[in-house]
């Protein structure tokens, strides 16, 4: 595939390369660059491969341009060449190997401008069979064999693997052929072969296996000898005599020195050249087998023997009674070995000691101790002893329990009359578990056991009368011998509100303009109480007030007709029950002075009308009399 890229470059008269003179009017364009692999991208081993890089460049001048080609394999530069001809760049890979596999790219650079081709993958298959050679195929124990493994004609990053009886024993890299030193630990016949792998990131190509060579390993005649006395019916405390020596040793000066090591389990008891002696007291606790090890150069020979040691007596156990003890109480500690070898010792020969020897300490009989529990955790161990053998018990930790403190009784949340009430009983200190019992008077209502610090004893009751709350108390107990009572429950009992009334002052018939108005809201229940006054038609309350009293009022200083309406009040307390009063209709009447003024005005108008009528009538009479006189 051809990667097209257009690069236009104009050479200015002021631009020069050292040692050359450039035409200021010349222009060129790198049109394309393409990489191909011949005879193909998939070839077999030893094929002659050619990597061809072809670039197409357009120039305004007939003069050849100087360009630089770079060949990349898997992002690494493998070939670089400068050229002033238009011919393709050829990068030969004669007798291609697997290590030549990879992705190839070509880059051309002309006067600072460059273009890179797309990558083309080359795959070379087929690898040569490895060849194995040994300097000898018959040796004695510990002798060294030199091995050579070759990958004929292969190049690149090569890893060699050397096998003994199908198991990899050595690995080597980047050395063809590979040379290795081998020593065989076991006698007999051993089959050796090799293989290799070529690393071409990110892949690994593995070869077939090489030829197989059989190596014969002859055993040396020397052997270690281990002798133990006595070996049967051994009891703790018996003296053991152990000897580690050599059989068929070779004493000629040219032989490699021989070392002997005597050990028990992982513990080295003794070491020497030709013979090792060791004595010790037999103990049943000693782990592992006795081992006599012979080392001669790189040869190791081992013989082991096990000695069964019978316990003279078992390790003691330390117990306490009672299992739970409180601070300052007397307890009994018993140290005892459950079994002993009666054929070797009597029971009376076993002695016991308690550590540490605290004061006061009373020993009633062998292995039994009476002590007083301390006020803090304490560790005890005991030791049993007979015929010089000492054995210790495991540590017994005594954790004295703390007596429970006087409990405290309280209410969780609020206590509301007639509703479920939670009562908590708690002691500040005391060892768990603690039993809490709720009582009313002398009657047991319920018991709760607290086993963890995160738990608490909470009881649920219903109180129907105010005087009942003072009858509750609780008892705490973590010792069967006693229990501590709390004081009586002292808490506020909330009575729900009831009987809410709304009283109006003055009397409804006497309410008139200009007067004062008092709306009094009263209730029964436990304060504090929140009161709210409402007028029908208004969304918000006229007054909200929280008081520690059972009544409050809403006051209007000067009444007017606008204050007429329907009123009511609401109240609630910590019992969370809202009560509402009956509605009261308030009608504001006209003021008395207004009535008097209206009456006076009316009388005045009537009086004026009467006077006018009288004057009118008199006037009419006078006119009639005058007319009568004239007619006479």
């Amino acid at each position: 595939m051809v990667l097209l890229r257009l690069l236009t470059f104009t050479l200015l008269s002021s631009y020069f390369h050292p040692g050359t003179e450039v035409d200021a009017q010349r222009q060129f364009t790198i049109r394309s660059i393409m990489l191909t692999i011949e005879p193909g991208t998939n070839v077999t081993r030893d094929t002659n491969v050619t990597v061809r890089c072809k670039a197409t460049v357009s120039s305004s001048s007939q003069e050849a341009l100087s360009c630089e080609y770079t060949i990349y394999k898997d992002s690494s530069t493998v070939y670089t060449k400068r050229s002033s001809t238009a011919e393709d760049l050829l990068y030969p890979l004669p007798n291609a190997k697997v290590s030549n596999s990879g992705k190839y790219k070509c880059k051309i650079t002309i006067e600072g401008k460059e273009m890179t081709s797309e990558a083309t993958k080359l795959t070379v298959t087929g690898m040569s069979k490895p060849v194995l050679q040994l300097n000898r195929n018959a040796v004695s124990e510990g002798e060294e064999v030199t091995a050579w493994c070759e990958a004929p004609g292969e190049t690149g990053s090569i890893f060699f693997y050397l096998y003994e009886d199908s198991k990899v024993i050595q690995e080597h890299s980047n050395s063809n052929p590979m040379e290795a030193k081998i020593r065989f630990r076991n006698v007999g016949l051993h089959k050796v072969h090799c293989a290799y792998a070529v690393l071409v990131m990110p892949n690994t190509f593995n070869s077939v296996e090489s030829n197989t060579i059989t190596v014969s390993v002859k055993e040396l005649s020397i052997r270690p000898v281990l002798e133990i006395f006595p070996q049967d019916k051994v009891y703790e405390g018996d003296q053991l005599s152990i000897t580690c020596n050599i059989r068929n040793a070779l004493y000629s000066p040219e032989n490699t020195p021989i070392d002997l090591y005597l050990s028990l389990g992982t513990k080295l008891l003794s070491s020497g050249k030709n013979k090792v002696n060791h004595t010790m007291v037999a103990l049943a606790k000693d782990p592992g087998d006795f081992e006599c090890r012979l080392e001669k150069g790189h040869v190791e020979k081992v013989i082991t023997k096990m000695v069964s040691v019978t316990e003279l007596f078992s390790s003691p156990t330390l117990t306490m009674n009672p299992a739970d003890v409180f601070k300052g109480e007397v307890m009994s500690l018993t140290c005892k070995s459950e079994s002993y070898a009666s054929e070797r010792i009597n029971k009376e020969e076993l002695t016991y000691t308690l550590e540490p020897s605290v004061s006061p300490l009373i020993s009633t009989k062998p292995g039994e101790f009476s002590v007083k529990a301390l006020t803090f955790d304490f560790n005890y161990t005991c030791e049993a002893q007979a015929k010089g053998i000492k054995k210790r018990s495991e540590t017994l930790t005594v954790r004295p329990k703390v007596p429970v403190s006087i409990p405290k009784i309280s209410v969780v949340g609020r206590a509301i009359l007639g509703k479920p009430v939670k009562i908590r009983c708690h002691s500040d200190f005391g060892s768990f578990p603690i039993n809490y019992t709720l009582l009313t008077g002398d009657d047991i209502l319920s018991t709760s056991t607290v086993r963890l610090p995160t738990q608490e004893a909470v009881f649920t009751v219903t109180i129907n009368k105010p005087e009942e709350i003072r009858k509750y108390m609780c008892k705490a107990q973590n010792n069967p011998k006693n229990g501590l009572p709390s004081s009586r429950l002292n808490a506020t009992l909330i009575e729900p509100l009831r009987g809410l009334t709304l009283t109006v002052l003055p009397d409804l018939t006497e309410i008139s303009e200009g007067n004062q108005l008092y709306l009094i809201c009263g209730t029964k229940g436990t304060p504090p109480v929140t009161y709210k006054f409402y007028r029908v038609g208004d969304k918000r309350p006229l007054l909200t007030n929280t008081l520690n009293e059972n009544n409050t009022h809403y006051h209007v200083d000067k009444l007017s007709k606008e204050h007429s309406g329907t009123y009511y009040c609401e109240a609630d307390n910590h019992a969370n029950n809202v009560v509402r009063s009956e509605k009261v209709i308030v009608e504001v009447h006209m003021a008395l002075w207004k009535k008097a003024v209206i009456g006076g005005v009316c009388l005045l108008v009537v009086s004026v009308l009467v006077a006018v009528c009288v004057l009118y009538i008199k006037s009419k009479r006078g006119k009639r009399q005058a007319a009568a006189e004239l007619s006479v």
Side-chain angles (χ1 to χ4, degrees):
M1 185 177 181
V2 179
L3 176 64
L4 296 178
R5 182 180 176 189
L6 185 61
L7 301 173
T8 305
F9 180 79
T10 305
L11 297 177
L12 303 176
S13 59
S14 60
Y15 183 81
F16 294 94
H17 283 288
T20 61
E21 184 176 341
V22 182
D23 184 356
Q25 302 301 320
R26 183 176 63 180
Q27 296 180 342
F28 71 90
T29 298
I30 303 175
R31 299 178 59 187
S32 65
I33 184 170
M34 180 175 63
L35 183 143
T36 58
I37 298 176
E38 302 168 355
T41 56
N42 293 283
V43 299
T44 58
R45 182 176 180 272
D46 290 333
T47 301
N48 291 325
V49 176
T50 300
V51 178
R52 181 184 297 274
C53 183
K54 180 179 181 62
T56 303
V57 181
S58 297
S59 175
S60 61
S61 172
Q62 297 299 322
E63 183 180 350
L65 296 170
S66 177
C67 57
E68 181 181 81
Y69 289 94
T70 304
I71 304 294
Y72 297 94
K73 174 179 175 290
D74 297 326
S75 302
S76 298
T77 302
V78 295
Y79 184 68
T80 301
K81 183 180 180 181
R82 296 194 67 86
S83 175
S84 298
T85 67
E87 296 179 358
D88 297 346
L89 174 70
L90 302 180
Y91 173 51
L93 297 173
N95 300 319
K97 302 294 186 292
V98 170
S99 59
N100 296 127
S101 298
K103 294 182 179 180
Y104 289 84
K105 292 191 296 185
C106 177
K107 183 178 76 173
I108 185 172
T109 303
I110 303 175
E111 297 180 358
K113 301 300 179 180
E114 61 184 38
M115 180 180 284
T116 303
S117 71
E118 291 188 353
T120 302
K121 184 177 180 180
L122 170 64
T123 302
V124 181
T125 57
M127 301 170 68
S128 63
K129 181 177 180 178
V131 178
L132 176 66
Q133 292 180 334
L134 302 180
N135 66 336
R136 48 183 174 168
N137 56 10
V139 294
S140 296
E141 281 184 288
E143 290 185 335
E144 190 176 75
V145 175
T146 303
W148 295 271
C149 184
E150 182 180 8
E154 295 298 338
T155 59
S157 183
I158 303 176
F159 293 83
F160 287 93
Y161 303 92
L162 193 60
Y163 293 82
E164 177 189 344
D165 298 329
S166 301
K167 181 180 178 181
V168 176
I169 57 174
Q170 291 191 34
E171 296 181 16
H172 298 267
S173 62
N174 294 331
S175 177
N176 189 13
M178 173 270 290
E179 180 179 328
K181 306 293 183 182
I182 312 173
R183 284 191 177 88
F184 301 94
R185 287 184 170 272
N186 301 320
V187 298
L189 299 178
H190 299 265
K191 293 183 178 181
V192 181
H193 71 273
C194 70
Y196 69 92
V198 178
L199 178 63
V200 182
M201 293 297 293
N203 301 313
T204 301
F205 299 90
N206 297 312
S207 73
V208 297
E209 295 181 353
S210 72
N211 54 303
T212 300
I213 300 177
T214 301
V215 179
S216 175
V217 180
K218 181 181 178 182
E219 184 178 10
L220 294 177
S221 59
I222 58 173
R223 294 176 181 277
V225 178
L226 179 61
E227 296 176 344
I228 303 174
F229 180 82
Q231 192 167 350
D232 299 323
K233 295 183 179 180
V234 179
Y235 288 83
E236 284 183 307
D238 290 350
Q239 197 77 9
L240 292 179
S241 179
I242 307 110
T243 301
C244 175
N245 56 26
I246 308 168
R247 179 177 297 167
N248 299 327
L250 303 178
Y251 297 103
S252 54
E254 66 273 16
N255 286 334
T256 306
I258 300 175
D259 294 313
L260 292 173
Y261 300 93
L262 177 63
S263 58
L264 174 60
T266 58
K267 182 180 180 181
L268 181 64
L269 301 178
S270 185
S271 62
K273 293 296 182 183
N274 296 317
K275 187 176 182 180
V276 175
N277 295 316
H278 183 74
T279 58
M280 61 181 292
V281 175
L283 297 174
K285 67 178 182 179
D286 287 336
D289 298 339
F290 287 96
E291 177 187 274
C292 178
R293 176 179 292 269
L294 180 152
E295 293 183 3
K296 181 178 185 295
H298 295 280
V299 177
E300 295 180 357
K301 289 182 178 289
V302 176
I303 183 172
T304 61
K305 285 186 178 181
M306 184 184 72
V307 176
S308 179
V309 180
T310 303
E311 275 193 325
L312 197 61
F313 55 89
S314 61
S315 295
T317 56
L318 183 60
T319 57
M320 63 178 288
N321 186 40
D324 291 328
V325 64
F326 285 81
K327 294 179 179 181
E329 290 185 345
V330 176
M331 62 180 176
S332 177
L333 298 178
T334 302
C335 182
K336 183 180 179 181
S337 293
E338 296 296 334
S339 62
Y340 64 95
S342 58
E343 63 272 22
R344 287 293 185 98
I345 62 171
N346 297 320
K347 185 177 181 181
E348 291 73 19
E349 293 182 70
L350 276 170
T351 60
Y352 301 96
T353 55
L354 184 67
E355 295 181 3
S357 182
V358 294
S359 180
L361 175 64
I362 302 174
S363 179
T364 56
K365 58 182 178 178
E368 292 188 5
F369 308 92
S370 179
V371 297
K372 183 176 289 188
L374 303 178
T375 58
F376 50 87
D377 293 359
F378 203 75
N379 293 330
Y380 293 92
T381 59
C382 73
E383 183 179 81
Q385 180 176 349
K387 290 192 174 183
I389 301 298
K390 297 180 180 180
K391 295 185 179 181
R392 298 176 68 88
S393 70
E394 292 186 357
T395 299
L396 172 66
T397 300
V398 177
R399 295 184 171 88
K401 298 185 70 174
V402 178
V404 70
S405 62
I406 295 176
K408 299 175 182 178
I409 188 169
S410 59
V411 170
V412 180
R414 294 188 175 98
I416 300 175
L417 186 69
K419 293 186 178 181
V421 177
K422 290 185 177 181
I423 298 176
R424 175 171 52 211
C425 192
H426 170 73
S427 294
D428 290 333
F429 55 87
S431 298
F432 297 103
I434 301 174
N435 293 323
Y436 292 97
T437 302
L438 182 67
L439 305 97
T440 174
D442 295 328
D443 298 330
I444 296 176
L445 299 181
S446 181
T447 299
S448 177
T449 301
V450 174
R451 303 182 185 277
L452 298 171
T454 55
Q455 297 175 339
E456 59 181 11
V458 177
F459 306 92
T460 301
V461 299
T462 300
I463 301 173
N464 296 312
K465 296 180 181 179
E467 61 272 14
E468 290 179 359
I469 194 167
R470 293 284 300 171
K471 295 182 180 180
Y472 288 95
M473 61 183 295
C474 70
K475 183 175 69 174
Q477 186 174 20
N478 66 350
N479 185 347
K481 299 178 181 178
N482 55 48
L484 298 177
S486 71
S487 59
R488 300 280 179 179
L489 178 60
N490 184 14
T492 300
L493 182 66
I494 300 174
E495 295 185 45
L497 298 179
R498 66 187 187 280
L500 184 66
T501 60
L502 182 62
T503 304
V504 181
L505 291 179
D507 189 83
L508 291 174
T509 58
E510 299 176 0
I511 297 174
S512 59
E513 290 178 309
N515 291 347
Q516 294 185 10
L517 175 67
Y518 289 91
L519 298 178
I520 302 172
C521 192
T523 185
K524 295 180 180 179
T526 303
V529 181
T530 298
Y531 299 91
K532 294 181 181 180
F533 291 86
Y534 292 91
R535 183 169 67 175
V536 175
D538 294 342
K539 293 182 179 180
R540 295 184 177 181
L542 302 173
L543 174 67
T544 299
N545 202 0
T546 300
L547 301 171
N548 282 315
E549 299 178 4
N550 287 93
N551 61 78
T552 188
H553 66 274
Y554 171 66
H555 174 238
V556 179
D557 189 35
K558 285 187 178 182
L559 287 171
S560 64
K561 280 288 189 179
E562 287 76 13
H563 291 105
S564 297
T566 302
Y567 293 83
Y568 65 92
C569 69
E570 290 181 350
D572 71 278
N573 64 355
H574 290 314
N576 295 324
N577 65 316
V578 179
V579 293
R580 178 181 291 184
S581 70
E582 296 290 336
K583 294 180 180 179
V584 175
I585 299 174
V586 175
E587 183 178 353
V588 180
H589 301 285
M590 184 179 296
L592 292 177
W593 66 270
K594 287 186 178 181
K595 292 181 180 180
V597 169
I598 293 173
V601 170
C602 291
L603 290 174
L604 179 62
V605 170
V606 170
S607 299
V608 171
L609 290 175
V610 170
V612 170
C613 291
V614 170
L615 292 174
Y616 179 76
I617 292 172
K618 287 182 176 182
S619 174
K620 281 294 221 177
R621 284 180 180 175
K623 288 181 178 181
R624 283 198 295 266
Q625 289 177 359
E629 291 177 355
L630 289 175
S631 61
V632 174

